[in-house]
Amino acid sequence: MAYERVHMIWDYWEGPRSGIADSGGRPFHFSCVYDEHEYAYTDTFVLTPFDDDTFALAQEEWAIWRRWEADFHAGRVLRESHPSYGHYDPRYNELRQLLNAQIERGSARTLRMRGEFRPAVSEQEAFPGQRHLFEVEWLPAD
């Protein structure tokens, strides 16, 4: 196996928990499995394939996020203007609804894999505090 590109991270808690990354060179939504008994995230992820149209929607949504993130770190907007609140760019929530529906539709075609994430060494922060960009190696789940 080899490390592949993580295109975007939607949730992060002590590591990437959901977002979009390649598996076999194709984009997949990934979502970390939470162990309710241990009250902890596992290293197992559910991967849902994205077609090209859905991936294009995700890239549009991510571009809105990145613009907001840059504006926030530059002091041009407040935390309260976060895109999910609908004030920064209403298209963000529209896209998120479309993406969530696609993830739900693809739930019959999911894979369970272990994910090993590491910072992408070739990428640099665009501004202080920007989340690191990652790459991931997908391995068979136990």
Side-chain angles (χ1 to χ4, degrees):
M1 293 300 224
Y3 280 87
E4 297 188 76
R5 182 174 180 191
V6 175
H7 295 278
M8 54 200 76
I9 297 172
W10 291 347
D11 292 306
Y12 187 95
W13 180 260
E14 298 177 347
R17 298 298 167 209
S18 73
I20 299 175
D22 285 345
S23 178
R26 299 287 306 150
F28 280 74
H29 172 263
F30 65 88
S31 181
C32 189
V33 175
Y34 187 79
D35 185 330
E36 298 286 337
H37 294 64
E38 296 291 325
Y39 302 105
Y41 286 105
T42 68
D43 65 353
T44 301
F45 292 79
V46 175
L47 277 65
T48 306
F50 269 8
D51 60 26
D52 291 341
D53 292 337
T54 304
F55 185 54
L57 294 174
Q59 289 174 307
E60 182 183 352
E61 185 251 11
W62 189 242
I64 294 169
W65 163 260
R66 295 298 299 260
R67 277 196 325 272
W68 177 85
E69 187 180 37
D71 285 347
F72 174 73
H73 285 284
R76 292 186 291 267
V77 297
L78 300 174
R79 185 176 307 279
E80 293 77 20
S81 70
H82 188 284
S84 66
Y85 299 150
H87 305 297
Y88 186 77
D89 186 333
R91 178 77 171 140
Y92 182 88
N93 285 333
E94 196 178 304
L95 290 164
R96 184 49 65 105
Q97 287 177 341
L98 292 169
L99 291 167
N100 287 341
Q102 287 298 105
I103 293 165
E104 183 64 32
R105 278 190 212 95
S107 63
R109 299 175 289 136
T110 61
L111 306 170
R112 290 177 73 87
M113 304 288 282
R114 281 189 316 110
E116 293 186 10
F117 291 85
R118 70 181 185 192
V121 295
S122 63
E123 302 289 348
Q124 300 218 354
E125 291 182 339
F127 45 81
Q130 178 192 30
R131 288 186 186 160
H132 288 285
L133 302 175
F134 287 85
E135 51 191 13
V136 62
E137 182 176 33
W138 298 113
L139 304 163
D142 296 332

